[in-house]
Amino acid sequence: MRSRGLPRNVLADWTLARGTRHERTLKAGSTMLAAFASAMMDPRRVSDPKRFDPHRPASDYIHFGHGLHQCFGLHINRATLHLMLKPLLKHQNLRRVPGRAGRLHKNGPFAASLTVAFDRGPC
């Protein structure tokens, strides 16, 4: 089974989303799943979450956790990801390949594969 969030042990009885139609009481000793991907789609916190916005504030994204729970991989990505993607994004006619390979495949909340093609020639 692929994970859709982070499993967490409930340390004390807790009522989640109190006063809303989503209210649930979590019992101490149970396990819950913190679904951070859906949190990033909450229109009460993220402006127009389904629209691609390259100017969206970094604080709206929690792929790498937050605060004390922030993954060190965030710093590695900030230092290297743009160096890996810039040469690819400069290619002429960059596009997804047809069929299944051209669709984004995920492993839980993480991208696993997306096959693209581009025209030969100078960037």
Side-chain angles (χ1 to χ4, degrees):
M1 181 176 96
R2 291 190 289 178
S3 173
R4 299 285 180 199
L6 301 171
R8 293 292 181 252
N9 297 322
V10 179
L11 300 178
D13 288 357
W14 181 261
T15 301
L16 188 66
R18 187 181 304 275
T20 73
R21 65 186 177 95
H22 302 290
E23 182 175 317
R24 297 289 183 276
T25 299
L26 307 175
K27 297 292 183 187
S30 62
T31 302
M32 55 94 54
L33 194 64
F36 53 89
S38 61
M40 293 184 293
M41 296 301 287
D42 184 346
R44 295 170 300 172
R45 301 287 185 250
V46 178
S47 176
D48 202 2
K50 293 184 179 181
R51 183 177 58 85
F52 173 73
D53 181 0
H55 304 292
R56 190 180 311 278
S59 60
D60 284 355
Y61 298 103
I62 55 173
H63 295 97
F64 291 95
H66 180 72
L68 293 174
H69 302 283
Q70 189 174 62
C71 175
F72 188 72
L74 170 68
H75 306 291
I76 295 168
N77 274 285
R78 281 188 177 152
T80 62
L81 192 59
H82 66 284
L83 298 172
M84 294 185 290
L85 288 177
K86 263 186 176 179
L88 175 66
L89 296 174
K90 285 182 176 182
H91 283 286
Q92 297 295 312
N93 197 19
L94 179 64
R95 63 199 177 275
R96 295 176 184 215
V97 298
R100 183 170 163 75
R103 292 191 204 117
L104 177 64
H105 297 274
K106 297 176 91 176
N107 181 5
F110 305 104
S113 67
L114 170 65
T115 304
V116 297
F118 49 85
D119 295 343
R120 290 193 174 259
C123 295

